[in-house]
Amino acid sequence: MNKYGAEFFGTFWLVLGGCGSAVLAAAFPEVGIGLLGVSLAFGLTVLTMAFAIGHISGCHLNPAVSIGLWAGGRFPANQLLPYIIAQVLGGLAAGGVLYLIASGQAGFDVSNGFAANGYGAHSPGQYSLTSALISEVVMTMMFLVVILGATDQRAPQGFAPIAIGLCLTLIHLISIPVTNTSVNPARSTGVALYVGDWATAQLWLFWIAPIAGAILGAFVYRFIGNEKES
């Protein structure tokens, strides 16, 4: 149970830190942190939690990552479901705390977005469903390649959290304008259920695309990282 608890609190921190920065600080009058700040916030949540709980649960914080690690031969199938449940519950708990904080501001309206992921009219840059799908698949694929490579026994030891956190920062710098960046079904679910309406109607994409991308990333790393072929 300590592994599942670690995944719950780790995902809680990712959603609270990442989505919280977007909702509370991104456009704060005159001193907002903007796209760069939100990107750094997501990366820092993973970086800090990797050091805090990596030795307990592996610090997946993401159903797509757990599935990708399973596809890459790094994670047992019998732990997938409890990990995913813990991650989604952690995301939902963080979304609830964020809602309680944000709703204390006069004029707050959750329908304005609440850092939810979307495409079409609900994409920050009005990107299409096809663009959103490609972005989420490719970004998650590269995320898994970095995770698998950085945690490979042949990689420099002790630096994986830095590489993984910076990778997530880069992913957000690229794709926030497209989908608000998911690459993580638990992150998407954690805020979408509070928005409801369009956010839950479009949530399917932010489960399917990251999981497909994670599986692709696992296959890519199995190909390029095969020690017998290196």
Side-chain angles (χ1 to χ4, degrees), residues 182-207:
S182 171
V183 303
N184 184 340
R187 169 261 188 268
S188 298
T189 305
V191 291
L193 294 190
Y194 293 92
V195 178
D197 193 26
W198 64 266
T200 50
Q202 295 189 355
L203 184 58
W204 65 270
L205 178 71
F206 302 104
W207 275 87

Side-chain angles (χ1 to χ4, degrees), residues 38 101 113 126 152 193:
V38 174
I101 295 170
Q126 308 291 292
D152 194 304
L193 294 190

Side-chain angles (χ1 to χ4, degrees), residues 12 15-16 89-101 114 190-191 194:
F12 175 91
V15 174
L16 185 62
L89 290 176
L92 288 169
V97 170
L98 181 56
Y99 180 85
L100 291 174
I101 295 170
F114 200 53
V191 291
Y194 293 92

Side-chain angles (χ1 to χ4, degrees), residues 146-187:
V146 171
I147 290 170
L148 290 166
T151 56
D152 194 304
Q153 292 182 349
R154 295 166 291 171
Q157 299 299 299
F159 294 99
I162 298 172
I164 295 167
L166 288 176
C167 180
L168 190 60
T169 298
L170 176 57
I171 286 169
H172 279 78
L173 286 172
I174 297 167
S175 62
I176 285 178
V178 184
T179 62
N180 234 4
T181 309
S182 171
V183 303
N184 184 340
R187 169 261 188 268

